[in-house]
C-alpha cells in the first residue's frame, strides 16, 4: 500500500504545479463539444475520489461482496459546474479528497485488503480497488492532462 500512497502523494505535489503553469484559456478549452476541459478532467478526478472514499470505507464493514454502484460521470461533471469554478477551488478539493484517501488507506488493516467487492462482472479485492483508483487517476493524468494531444 505504500506504493499507492507514495504515488498519490506524488500527484498531489505535481498536479497543482502542472495546472498553475497553464494559461486559463488552455485550462478551460474543450477540445470538442463532448470532451472535458482540463478543469473538468480535474473535477472528474475529484468525483472519482468522492465515490471511491465511500467505497473504500463501506467495503470494510458492509456484507461481502460489497456491490460497487456506478455513477454517471458526465452528469457529475456537469452538475458540479467545474467548467465555471475557479481552478484553485478544484485543485484544493483534489488535494483534500486525496489526503483523505491516503488516511483511509493508512488505516486499513492488512486483512481488510482481501475484502471482496462486486464490480458487476466479477469480484475483486479492496487491494485491487485501491490499485484501480490509482490506475484510473494516472490514466487521466498521463493521457489527458500531461499529453493533451490524446484527450
Amino acid at each position: 500500500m505504500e506504493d499507492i500512497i507514495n504515488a498519490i502523494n506524488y500527484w498531489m505535489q505535481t498536479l497543482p504545479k502542472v495546472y498553475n503553469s497553464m494559461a486559463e484559456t488552455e485550462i478551460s478549452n474543450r477540445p470538442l463539444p463532448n470532451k472535458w476541459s482540463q478543469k473538468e478532467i480535474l473535477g472528474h478526478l475529484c468525483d472519482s475520489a468522492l465515490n471511491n472514499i465511500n467505497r473504500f470505507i463501506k467495503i470494510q464493514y458492509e456484507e461481502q461482496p460489497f456491490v460497487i454502484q456506478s455513477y454517471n460521470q458526465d452528469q457529475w461533471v456537469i452538475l458540479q459546474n467545474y467548467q465555471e469554478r475557479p481552478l484553485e477551488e478544484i485543485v484544493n478539493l483534489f488535494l483534500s479528497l486525496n489526503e483523505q484517501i491516503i488516511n483511509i488507506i493508512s488505516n486499513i488493516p492488512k486483512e481488510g485488503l482481501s475484502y471482496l467487492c462486486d464490480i458487476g462482472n466479477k469480484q475483486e479485492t479492496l487491494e485491487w480497488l485501491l490499485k484501480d483508483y490509482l490506475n484510473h487517476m494516472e490514466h487521466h493524468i498521463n493521457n489527458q492532462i500531461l499529453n493533451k494531444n490524446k484527450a
Side-chain angles (χ1 to χ4, degrees):
M1 291 301 92
E2 201 64 33
D3 289 347
I4 294 173
I5 290 170
N6 289 340
I8 293 171
N9 270 319
Y10 172 79
W11 292 119
M12 288 173 61
Q13 294 170 13
T14 303
L15 274 187
K17 295 173 190 168
V18 169
Y19 273 91
N20 288 330
S21 72
M22 294 182 198
E24 180 62 34
T25 53
E26 183 180 12
I27 293 167
S28 299
N29 178 55
R30 289 185 176 130
L32 295 169
N34 62 340
K35 295 286 186 182
W36 292 333
S37 69
Q38 296 296 317
K39 282 170 76 172
E40 290 171 314
I41 293 167
L42 186 60
H44 167 65
L45 293 178
C46 292
D47 296 343
S48 173
L50 280 165
N51 279 275
N52 279 290
I53 286 170
N54 183 50
R55 295 167 179 167
F56 298 158
I57 292 170
K58 284 186 172 182
I59 192 175
Q60 294 184 70
Y61 71 85
E62 295 218 350
E63 184 177 328
Q64 288 185 36
F66 173 70
V67 177
I68 299 290
Q69 299 293 319
S70 63
Y71 66 101
N72 186 319
Q73 300 171 13
D74 290 322
Q75 286 300 312
W76 275 64
V77 169
I78 291 167
L79 294 172
Q80 295 196 74
N81 197 28
Y82 290 118
Q83 184 68 1
E84 302 304 324
R85 291 168 73 179
L87 175 63
E88 182 179 358
E89 188 179 298
I90 304 168
V91 168
N92 288 337
L93 181 60
F94 174 83
L95 295 174
S96 295
L97 291 169
N98 280 286
E99 189 64 44
Q100 183 62 21
I101 285 176
I102 288 171
N103 180 60
I104 293 166
I105 294 170
S106 298
N107 288 290
I108 296 172
K110 188 171 179 107
E111 65 274 9
L113 296 174
S114 63
Y115 292 164
L116 295 175
C117 59
D118 181 338
I119 61 169
N121 56 351
K122 61 182 174 176
Q123 290 185 3
E124 295 291 354
T125 64
L126 174 54
E127 182 175 11
W128 179 91
L129 194 62
L130 295 166
K131 290 176 183 175
D132 186 62
Y133 171 75
L134 177 61
N135 289 338
H136 172 260
M137 178 194 297
E138 289 184 332
H139 163 78
H140 284 289
I141 292 170
N142 290 322
N143 294 328
Q144 295 176 304
I145 297 170
L146 299 179
N147 188 356
K148 294 168 224 71
N149 294 331
K150 292 187 177 182

PDB file of all heavy atoms in Angstrom, residues 66-86:
ATOM      1  N   PHE A  66     -19.162  -6.531  -1.257  1.00  0.00           N
ATOM      2  CA  PHE A  66     -19.751  -5.200  -1.333  1.00  0.00           C
ATOM      3  C   PHE A  66     -20.015  -4.881  -2.796  1.00  0.00           C
ATOM      4  O   PHE A  66     -19.123  -5.020  -3.634  1.00  0.00           O
ATOM      5  CB  PHE A  66     -18.807  -4.160  -0.717  1.00  0.00           C
ATOM      6  CG  PHE A  66     -19.272  -2.749  -0.904  1.00  0.00           C
ATOM      7  CD1 PHE A  66     -20.387  -2.282  -0.224  1.00  0.00           C
ATOM      8  CD2 PHE A  66     -18.615  -1.898  -1.772  1.00  0.00           C
ATOM      9  CE1 PHE A  66     -20.831  -0.977  -0.403  1.00  0.00           C
ATOM     10  CE2 PHE A  66     -19.047  -0.590  -1.953  1.00  0.00           C
ATOM     11  CZ  PHE A  66     -20.162  -0.131  -1.268  1.00  0.00           C
ATOM     12  N   VAL A  67     -21.236  -4.468  -3.114  1.00  0.00           N
ATOM     13  CA  VAL A  67     -21.605  -4.195  -4.502  1.00  0.00           C
ATOM     14  C   VAL A  67     -21.243  -2.745  -4.842  1.00  0.00           C
ATOM     15  O   VAL A  67     -21.741  -1.799  -4.224  1.00  0.00           O
ATOM     16  CB  VAL A  67     -23.109  -4.448  -4.749  1.00  0.00           C
ATOM     17  CG1 VAL A  67     -23.486  -4.097  -6.186  1.00  0.00           C
ATOM     18  CG2 VAL A  67     -23.455  -5.902  -4.430  1.00  0.00           C
ATOM     19  N   ILE A  68     -20.367  -2.595  -5.820  1.00  0.00           N
ATOM     20  CA  ILE A  68     -19.945  -1.270  -6.278  1.00  0.00           C
ATOM     21  C   ILE A  68     -21.042  -0.675  -7.153  1.00  0.00           C
ATOM     22  O   ILE A  68     -21.462  -1.277  -8.140  1.00  0.00           O
ATOM     23  CB  ILE A  68     -18.632  -1.368  -7.101  1.00  0.00           C
ATOM     24  CG1 ILE A  68     -17.500  -1.933  -6.253  1.00  0.00           C
ATOM     25  CG2 ILE A  68     -18.271  -0.018  -7.710  1.00  0.00           C
ATOM     26  CD1 ILE A  68     -16.998  -1.034  -5.165  1.00  0.00           C
ATOM     27  N   GLN A  69     -21.503   0.494  -6.768  1.00  0.00           N
ATOM     28  CA  GLN A  69     -22.501   1.220  -7.559  1.00  0.00           C
ATOM     29  C   GLN A  69     -21.758   2.157  -8.517  1.00  0.00           C
ATOM     30  O   GLN A  69     -20.860   2.880  -8.109  1.00  0.00           O
ATOM     31  CB  GLN A  69     -23.417   2.045  -6.651  1.00  0.00           C
ATOM     32  CG  GLN A  69     -24.202   1.216  -5.659  1.00  0.00           C
ATOM     33  CD  GLN A  69     -25.230   0.337  -6.344  1.00  0.00           C
ATOM     34  OE1 GLN A  69     -25.899   0.750  -7.276  1.00  0.00           O
ATOM     35  NE2 GLN A  69     -25.335  -0.902  -5.892  1.00  0.00           N
ATOM     36  N   SER A  70     -22.150   2.136  -9.768  1.00  0.00           N
ATOM     37  CA  SER A  70     -21.541   3.060 -10.728  1.00  0.00           C
ATOM     38  C   SER A  70     -22.188   4.432 -10.571  1.00  0.00           C
ATOM     39  O   SER A  70     -23.183   4.583  -9.862  1.00  0.00           O
ATOM     40  CB  SER A  70     -21.708   2.536 -12.152  1.00  0.00           C
ATOM     41  OG  SER A  70     -23.071   2.470 -12.480  1.00  0.00           O
ATOM     42  N   TYR A  71     -21.611   5.416 -11.223  1.00  0.00           N
ATOM     43  CA  TYR A  71     -22.189   6.758 -11.213  1.00  0.00           C
ATOM     44  C   TYR A  71     -22.032   7.359 -12.606  1.00  0.00           C
ATOM     45  O   TYR A  71     -21.148   6.978 -13.359  1.00  0.00           O
ATOM     46  CB  TYR A  71     -21.556   7.637 -10.126  1.00  0.00           C
ATOM     47  CG  TYR A  71     -20.092   7.972 -10.332  1.00  0.00           C
ATOM     48  CD1 TYR A  71     -19.706   9.213 -10.830  1.00  0.00           C
ATOM     49  CD2 TYR A  71     -19.079   7.061 -10.026  1.00  0.00           C
ATOM     50  CE1 TYR A  71     -18.366   9.536 -11.025  1.00  0.00           C
ATOM     51  CE2 TYR A  71     -17.741   7.366 -10.196  1.00  0.00           C
ATOM     52  CZ  TYR A  71     -17.396   8.601 -10.699  1.00  0.00           C
ATOM     53  OH  TYR A  71     -16.074   8.920 -10.893  1.00  0.00           O
ATOM     54  N   ASN A  72     -22.903   8.284 -12.941  1.00  0.00           N
ATOM     55  CA  ASN A  72     -22.888   8.920 -14.250  1.00  0.00           C
ATOM     56  C   ASN A  72     -21.831  10.035 -14.230  1.00  0.00           C
ATOM     57  O   ASN A  72     -22.086  11.137 -13.749  1.00  0.00           O
ATOM     58  CB  ASN A  72     -24.271   9.475 -14.588  1.00  0.00           C
ATOM     59  CG  ASN A  72     -24.345  10.014 -15.996  1.00  0.00           C
ATOM     60  OD1 ASN A  72     -23.414  10.664 -16.481  1.00  0.00           O
ATOM     61  ND2 ASN A  72     -25.446   9.764 -16.658  1.00  0.00           N
ATOM     62  N   GLN A  73     -20.663   9.718 -14.747  1.00  0.00           N
ATOM     63  CA  GLN A  73     -19.526  10.634 -14.682  1.00  0.00           C
ATOM     64  C   GLN A  73     -19.800  11.970 -15.368  1.00  0.00           C
ATOM     65  O   GLN A  73     -19.443  13.030 -14.841  1.00  0.00           O
ATOM     66  CB  GLN A  73     -18.299   9.972 -15.299  1.00  0.00           C
ATOM     67  CG  GLN A  73     -17.901   8.708 -14.595  1.00  0.00           C
ATOM     68  CD  GLN A  73     -16.815   7.937 -15.331  1.00  0.00           C
ATOM     69  OE1 GLN A  73     -16.172   8.439 -16.243  1.00  0.00           O
ATOM     70  NE2 GLN A  73     -16.597   6.696 -14.918  1.00  0.00           N
ATOM     71  N   ASP A  74     -20.432  11.924 -16.521  1.00  0.00           N
ATOM     72  CA  ASP A  74     -20.716  13.168 -17.242  1.00  0.00           C
ATOM     73  C   ASP A  74     -21.672  14.067 -16.451  1.00  0.00           C
ATOM     74  O   ASP A  74     -21.469  15.283 -16.384  1.00  0.00           O
ATOM     75  CB  ASP A  74     -21.286  12.872 -18.632  1.00  0.00           C
ATOM     76  CG  ASP A  74     -20.252  12.279 -19.569  1.00  0.00           C
ATOM     77  OD1 ASP A  74     -19.079  12.702 -19.521  1.00  0.00           O
ATOM     78  OD2 ASP A  74     -20.606  11.383 -20.349  1.00  0.00           O
ATOM     79  N   GLN A  75     -22.694  13.473 -15.861  1.00  0.00           N
ATOM     80  CA  GLN A  75     -23.640  14.264 -15.083  1.00  0.00           C
ATOM     81  C   GLN A  75     -22.983  14.869 -13.843  1.00  0.00           C
ATOM     82  O   GLN A  75     -23.271  16.006 -13.473  1.00  0.00           O
ATOM     83  CB  GLN A  75     -24.861  13.420 -14.690  1.00  0.00           C
ATOM     84  CG  GLN A  75     -25.803  13.158 -15.855  1.00  0.00           C
ATOM     85  CD  GLN A  75     -26.360  14.457 -16.442  1.00  0.00           C
ATOM     86  OE1 GLN A  75     -26.838  15.333 -15.720  1.00  0.00           O
ATOM     87  NE2 GLN A  75     -26.277  14.585 -17.758  1.00  0.00           N
ATOM     88  N   TRP A  76     -22.112  14.115 -13.208  1.00  0.00           N
ATOM     89  CA  TRP A  76     -21.403  14.664 -12.044  1.00  0.00           C
ATOM     90  C   TRP A  76     -20.588  15.893 -12.441  1.00  0.00           C
ATOM     91  O   TRP A  76     -20.599  16.909 -11.752  1.00  0.00           O
ATOM     92  CB  TRP A  76     -20.493  13.598 -11.428  1.00  0.00           C
ATOM     93  CG  TRP A  76     -21.188  12.697 -10.454  1.00  0.00           C
ATOM     94  CD1 TRP A  76     -22.204  11.822 -10.725  1.00  0.00           C
ATOM     95  CD2 TRP A  76     -20.938  12.586  -9.063  1.00  0.00           C
ATOM     96  NE1 TRP A  76     -22.577  11.169  -9.588  1.00  0.00           N
ATOM     97  CE2 TRP A  76     -21.811  11.606  -8.552  1.00  0.00           C
ATOM     98  CE3 TRP A  76     -20.029  13.193  -8.205  1.00  0.00           C
ATOM     99  CZ2 TRP A  76     -21.821  11.248  -7.200  1.00  0.00           C
ATOM    100  CZ3 TRP A  76     -20.029  12.830  -6.864  1.00  0.00           C
ATOM    101  CH2 TRP A  76     -20.928  11.868  -6.380  1.00  0.00           C
ATOM    102  N   VAL A  77     -19.883  15.812 -13.567  1.00  0.00           N
ATOM    103  CA  VAL A  77     -19.062  16.944 -14.025  1.00  0.00           C
ATOM    104  C   VAL A  77     -19.952  18.132 -14.383  1.00  0.00           C
ATOM    105  O   VAL A  77     -19.671  19.270 -13.993  1.00  0.00           O
ATOM    106  CB  VAL A  77     -18.168  16.518 -15.214  1.00  0.00           C
ATOM    107  CG1 VAL A  77     -17.529  17.731 -15.875  1.00  0.00           C
ATOM    108  CG2 VAL A  77     -17.092  15.543 -14.746  1.00  0.00           C
ATOM    109  N   ILE A  78     -21.039  17.874 -15.086  1.00  0.00           N
ATOM    110  CA  ILE A  78     -21.956  18.953 -15.487  1.00  0.00           C
ATOM    111  C   ILE A  78     -22.604  19.599 -14.272  1.00  0.00           C
ATOM    112  O   ILE A  78     -22.610  20.833 -14.122  1.00  0.00           O
ATOM    113  CB  ILE A  78     -23.037  18.415 -16.452  1.00  0.00           C
ATOM    114  CG1 ILE A  78     -22.412  18.038 -17.797  1.00  0.00           C
ATOM    115  CG2 ILE A  78     -24.169  19.432 -16.638  1.00  0.00           C
ATOM    116  CD1 ILE A  78     -23.326  17.214 -18.701  1.00  0.00           C
ATOM    117  N   LEU A  79     -23.175  18.779 -13.389  1.00  0.00           N
ATOM    118  CA  LEU A  79     -23.946  19.312 -12.264  1.00  0.00           C
ATOM    119  C   LEU A  79     -23.085  20.021 -11.229  1.00  0.00           C
ATOM    120  O   LEU A  79     -23.583  20.887 -10.501  1.00  0.00           O
ATOM    121  CB  LEU A  79     -24.768  18.193 -11.617  1.00  0.00           C
ATOM    122  CG  LEU A  79     -25.872  17.632 -12.530  1.00  0.00           C
ATOM    123  CD1 LEU A  79     -26.515  16.404 -11.915  1.00  0.00           C
ATOM    124  CD2 LEU A  79     -26.907  18.696 -12.844  1.00  0.00           C
ATOM    125  N   GLN A  80     -21.810  19.696 -11.174  1.00  0.00           N
ATOM    126  CA  GLN A  80     -20.923  20.399 -10.244  1.00  0.00           C
ATOM    127  C   GLN A  80     -20.278  21.620 -10.892  1.00  0.00           C
ATOM    128  O   GLN A  80     -19.553  22.366 -10.239  1.00  0.00           O
ATOM    129  CB  GLN A  80     -19.886  19.439  -9.673  1.00  0.00           C
ATOM    130  CG  GLN A  80     -20.597  18.378  -8.824  1.00  0.00           C
ATOM    131  CD  GLN A  80     -19.663  17.651  -7.940  1.00  0.00           C
ATOM    132  OE1 GLN A  80     -19.216  18.207  -6.936  1.00  0.00           O
ATOM    133  NE2 GLN A  80     -19.347  16.419  -8.284  1.00  0.00           N
ATOM    134  N   ASN A  81     -20.517  21.798 -12.187  1.00  0.00           N
ATOM    135  CA  ASN A  81     -20.123  23.004 -12.910  1.00  0.00           C
ATOM    136  C   ASN A  81     -18.632  23.318 -12.764  1.00  0.00           C
ATOM    137  O   ASN A  81     -18.239  24.458 -12.542  1.00  0.00           O
ATOM    138  CB  ASN A  81     -20.969  24.197 -12.443  1.00  0.00           C
ATOM    139  CG  ASN A  81     -20.890  25.347 -13.410  1.00  0.00           C
ATOM    140  OD1 ASN A  81     -20.678  25.162 -14.611  1.00  0.00           O
ATOM    141  ND2 ASN A  81     -21.073  26.555 -12.908  1.00  0.00           N
ATOM    142  N   TYR A  82     -17.810  22.298 -12.917  1.00  0.00           N
ATOM    143  CA  TYR A  82     -16.363  22.509 -12.801  1.00  0.00           C
ATOM    144  C   TYR A  82     -15.851  23.522 -13.821  1.00  0.00           C
ATOM    145  O   TYR A  82     -14.904  24.253 -13.551  1.00  0.00           O
ATOM    146  CB  TYR A  82     -15.608  21.189 -12.963  1.00  0.00           C
ATOM    147  CG  TYR A  82     -15.800  20.237 -11.812  1.00  0.00           C
ATOM    148  CD1 TYR A  82     -16.402  18.997 -12.000  1.00  0.00           C
ATOM    149  CD2 TYR A  82     -15.370  20.566 -10.534  1.00  0.00           C
ATOM    150  CE1 TYR A  82     -16.564  18.114 -10.942  1.00  0.00           C
ATOM    151  CE2 TYR A  82     -15.531  19.695  -9.464  1.00  0.00           C
ATOM    152  CZ  TYR A  82     -16.133  18.473  -9.682  1.00  0.00           C
ATOM    153  OH  TYR A  82     -16.291  17.604  -8.633  1.00  0.00           O
ATOM    154  N   GLN A  83     -16.470  23.565 -14.981  1.00  0.00           N
ATOM    155  CA  GLN A  83     -16.015  24.457 -16.046  1.00  0.00           C
ATOM    156  C   GLN A  83     -16.007  25.917 -15.603  1.00  0.00           C
ATOM    157  O   GLN A  83     -15.129  26.682 -15.994  1.00  0.00           O
ATOM    158  CB  GLN A  83     -16.897  24.268 -17.297  1.00  0.00           C
ATOM    159  CG  GLN A  83     -16.468  25.072 -18.491  1.00  0.00           C
ATOM    160  CD  GLN A  83     -15.142  24.623 -19.101  1.00  0.00           C
ATOM    161  OE1 GLN A  83     -14.499  23.679 -18.653  1.00  0.00           O
ATOM    162  NE2 GLN A  83     -14.723  25.310 -20.126  1.00  0.00           N
ATOM    163  N   GLU A  84     -16.963  26.303 -14.778  1.00  0.00           N
ATOM    164  CA  GLU A  84     -17.094  27.712 -14.374  1.00  0.00           C
ATOM    165  C   GLU A  84     -16.494  28.005 -12.998  1.00  0.00           C
ATOM    166  O   GLU A  84     -16.485  29.150 -12.573  1.00  0.00           O
ATOM    167  CB  GLU A  84     -18.572  28.120 -14.392  1.00  0.00           C
ATOM    168  CG  GLU A  84     -19.253  27.931 -15.732  1.00  0.00           C
ATOM    169  CD  GLU A  84     -18.558  28.667 -16.880  1.00  0.00           C
ATOM    170  OE1 GLU A  84     -18.048  29.791 -16.645  1.00  0.00           O
ATOM    171  OE2 GLU A  84     -18.515  28.117 -17.994  1.00  0.00           O
ATOM    172  N   ARG A  85     -16.009  26.999 -12.328  1.00  0.00           N
ATOM    173  CA  ARG A  85     -15.474  27.202 -10.983  1.00  0.00           C
ATOM    174  C   ARG A  85     -14.012  27.621 -11.043  1.00  0.00           C
ATOM    175  O   ARG A  85     -13.293  27.267 -11.974  1.00  0.00           O
ATOM    176  CB  ARG A  85     -15.640  25.924 -10.162  1.00  0.00           C
ATOM    177  CG  ARG A  85     -17.121  25.658  -9.870  1.00  0.00           C
ATOM    178  CD  ARG A  85     -17.383  24.305  -9.319  1.00  0.00           C
ATOM    179  NE  ARG A  85     -16.943  24.180  -7.932  1.00  0.00           N
ATOM    180  CZ  ARG A  85     -17.094  23.065  -7.231  1.00  0.00           C
ATOM    181  NH1 ARG A  85     -17.669  22.000  -7.782  1.00  0.00           N
ATOM    182  NH2 ARG A  85     -16.687  23.000  -5.987  1.00  0.00           N
ATOM    183  N   PRO A  86     -13.556  28.361 -10.035  1.00  0.00           N
ATOM    184  CA  PRO A  86     -12.147  28.759 -10.006  1.00  0.00           C
ATOM    185  C   PRO A  86     -11.234  27.538  -9.917  1.00  0.00           C
ATOM    186  O   PRO A  86     -11.515  26.596  -9.162  1.00  0.00           O
ATOM    187  CB  PRO A  86     -12.026  29.615  -8.746  1.00  0.00           C
ATOM    188  CG  PRO A  86     -13.422  30.003  -8.385  1.00  0.00           C
ATOM    189  CD  PRO A  86     -14.311  28.915  -8.916  1.00  0.00           C
TER     190      PRO A  86
END
